[in-house]
Amino acid sequence: MTGRSDAAKGRMLFASKGCVVCHSVNGVGGEDAPPLDAEFMDLPMNAVEFAARMWAGAEAMVELQRDEFGDVVNLNGAELAAIIAFAHDADEQAKFSTADIPDKVGKMMDHMEQEGAHDDMQDDHD
């Protein structure tokens, strides 16, 4: 259904579309949503099942996207297929690093991390 080149494109989309803000791959990324490491994915790859899991978490994802990005992230079918291919491709994931994260997305991640640290300090004082 999807090929190697789609997984490479998916690696870039995972970072540029902001998936990495909440999801991690190889320990790179957020911790607010499940990691998307290939080792946790069903094999053979089932894109429909992956999309169904996304749909089940859609309400929380949309709320977070509006809070953090100011709007909902839009993906067309080819982009979603590429991200799904990336989520199932351990070899392509091995190439993923913080260098793939665009500055704008990295700043969002830093902001969320600082907010989390601030929230933790608030909890300590309560």
Side-chain angles (χ1 to χ4, degrees):
M1 180 187 283
T2 57
R4 185 93 178 117
S5 63
D6 289 330
K9 182 178 178 184
R11 177 168 53 95
M12 294 294 110
L13 288 167
F14 178 77
S16 67
K17 290 288 189 171
C19 306
V20 69
V21 172
C22 296
H23 297 276
S24 66
V25 166
N26 293 334
V28 176
E31 298 176 354
D32 293 329
L36 296 180
D37 295 279
E39 68 183 281
F40 303 125
M41 296 296 128
D42 295 333
L43 291 177
M45 179 175 58
N46 184 333
V48 175
E49 182 63 31
F50 189 95
R53 288 181 185 163
M54 283 182 65
W55 182 252
E59 188 173 345
M61 281 196 305
V62 166
E63 183 178 337
L64 247 151
Q65 290 169 7
R66 285 194 173 122
D67 287 348
E68 294 304 320
F69 306 143
D71 203 357
V72 178
V73 173
N74 288 305
L75 298 170
N76 64 38
E79 291 170 330
L80 181 56
I83 290 170
I84 292 170
F86 171 64
H88 287 81
D89 191 323
D91 292 336
E92 193 61 40
Q93 286 186 352
K95 300 174 189 175
F96 186 68
S97 73
T98 56
D100 291 315
I101 302 171
D103 288 341
K104 181 179 178 181
V105 174
K107 287 177 184 174
M108 268 189 258
M109 292 172 70
D110 291 342
H111 177 259
M112 286 182 71
E113 207 170 274
Q114 289 171 355
E115 264 187 4
H118 176 74
D119 291 346
D120 290 345
M121 289 185 344
Q122 280 293 91
D123 292 342
D124 290 344
H125 293 295
D126 291 340

